[in-house]
Amino acid sequence: MSQYKIEAGTGQHIGDRQEQQDRVALFAAPRAPGYMMAVVADGMGGKSGGALAAEQVVRTAKHLFDDFYPGGDVRQLLENIVQEAHTVIQLTAVSSEKEPHSTFVALVITPQKEAVWAHAGDSRLYRFSGPNFAEKTRDHSYVERLVDEGKIRPEEAKHHRLSNILTNVLGSHTTPPFVTIGERSNLEAGDYFLLCSDGLWHYFEDAELSAAVAANTPRQASEFLIRKARDRGAPRGDNCTFAIVKLIEPPPEVKNYKVEKIRRAV
C-alpha cells in the first residue's frame, strides 16, 4: 500500500495594493481525523468590502469543516460552504453599505487517499504529478467563455482587456453562485496541489509553477513564487495568495515501523 505524509504551507503578499483582500487557510477536521482542507478566497468590492467577503468565506469553511464527520459527503460540504458564505456576504453588504464579493477555491484530502476540490470564480487549483503539470481548474470568467466560443485563443485570455470580468462569484445580488467540483482518487506520494488567487497565477506558466512546487518545500516554494510575482507584477502587482499541499514519501523509519507493527500483530 502506498504511503505518504502531507506537507503544506501558505504564502501571501499585499503586492502594490493598499489593502490585502485575499484570505488563505489550512484546516484539520477535529471530528474527522485524517481529513484536511486548504482554502483560498480573493475578495472584491472596494475598500474593506473585499476583505470582509474573503474573511467570511474562510470563517464559513472552518465552521462547517469543524462539524464534519468521517463518512460525510465532501462534495456536499464544499457546496454548502459556498452557499452559506454567499448568504453571509449578502447580509454583510446590507449592514456595511458595501458591495463585497469573493472567489473561492478549496481542496479536501481524505484518509481514503482521495482529493476533492471546488471553485467559483478565477481562483485556481493546480494539480501536479511530481514535476509535471497535470491539470488546473477552468476560470468562471468572461474571457474563458470567449475561449469556449472560439472567439479568442487560450493564450490570449490572460492579457485580454476584459480578463478581470468574472461570471461567477460569491455575494452577487443578481446571480447565485455555483461551484465546479473536481476529484482525484488513489493519491500517492508525488501528487502536489497549488491553490491560488489570480495575483499569483497571472505571472506564471503552468510548467514554472509545477517546477517550483516540486523542487522545494512549501516554505521555499512560497518565498520563490512571491519574489518572482513581485518582480513581474511591480509596480501594479495584485494581492498574491496561495496554499501548497504536497504528498511526500514518509521517512524510512516510519515505513519500517509500520511493517514491524504488522509483523508483530501476525
Side-chain angles (χ1 to χ4, degrees):
M1 181 182 294
S2 175
Q3 300 288 339
Y4 59 77
K5 72 171 186 175
I6 298 175
E7 222 178 48
T10 64
Q12 193 167 39
H13 195 284
I14 195 172
D16 297 298
R17 301 299 173 88
Q18 293 184 337
E19 182 184 19
Q20 176 58 264
Q21 297 198 330
D22 295 353
R23 295 293 186 271
V24 59
L26 300 170
F27 301 125
R31 302 172 190 265
Y35 288 80
M36 69 84 60
M37 174 187 286
V39 57
V40 169
D42 181 353
M44 302 163 284
K47 186 172 178 60
S48 300
L52 286 171
E55 186 67 28
Q56 292 296 348
V57 171
V58 171
R59 288 183 180 180
T60 302
K62 183 179 188 308
H63 174 72
L64 294 184
F65 202 45
D66 282 350
D67 290 337
F68 185 77
Y69 281 90
D73 188 336
V74 176
R75 295 153 194 78
Q76 189 60 55
L77 167 71
L78 295 170
E79 290 268 7
N80 291 345
I81 290 171
V82 167
Q83 298 306 325
E84 290 198 21
H86 170 66
T87 299
V88 174
I89 293 169
Q90 286 184 314
L91 294 173
T92 301
V94 174
S95 61
S96 65
E97 298 184 351
K98 301 180 185 297
E99 295 184 5
H101 300 85
S102 181
T103 67
F104 167 84
V105 62
L107 165 73
V108 175
I109 303 291
T110 79
Q112 293 76 37
K113 298 184 178 179
E114 181 183 34
V116 184
W117 58 86
H119 82 287
D122 67 348
S123 288
R124 294 180 179 178
L125 177 138
Y126 290 78
R127 183 175 69 83
F128 310 114
S129 180
N132 301 312
F133 167 76
E135 63 178 312
K136 64 184 175 185
T137 53
R138 299 187 66 201
D139 302 338
H140 300 146
S141 65
Y142 179 68
V143 293
E144 195 67 52
R145 183 179 295 173
L146 294 179
V147 171
D148 291 342
E149 295 172 351
K151 295 180 178 178
I152 63 172
R153 296 188 302 273
E155 57 270 22
E156 295 178 281
K158 183 183 291 188
H159 302 291
H160 194 279
R161 61 186 179 85
L162 299 177
S163 61
N164 63 333
I165 304 299
L166 302 184
T167 58
N168 181 36
V169 293
L170 282 66
S172 171
H173 285 275
T174 57
T175 307
F178 63 89
V179 295
T180 299
I181 302 287
E183 57 187 73
R184 169 79 173 176
S185 58
N186 300 316
L187 296 177
E188 57 186 8
D191 285 326
Y192 308 146
F193 300 89
L194 170 69
L195 296 78
C196 60
S197 65
D198 64 330
L200 180 76
W201 62 252
H202 185 82
Y203 302 109
F204 294 90
E205 299 300 325
D206 299 343
E208 289 183 294
L209 293 173
S210 60
V213 171
N216 298 283
T217 66
R219 178 171 181 174
Q220 292 168 338
S222 297
E223 292 172 350
F224 172 81
L225 291 172
I226 287 175
R227 183 170 65 252
K228 286 294 184 182
R230 293 295 300 124
D231 289 345
R232 296 174 181 183
R236 294 184 295 275
D238 197 358
N239 296 160
C240 174
T241 302
F242 55 93
I244 296 171
V245 179
K246 300 183 68 173
L247 309 184
I248 65 173
E249 289 279 354
E253 60 270 18
V254 174
K255 294 181 184 177
N256 294 337
Y257 175 74
K258 289 182 178 179
V259 171
E260 184 65 23
K261 290 283 284 185
I262 292 172
R263 286 174 179 167
R264 288 181 180 177
V266 172

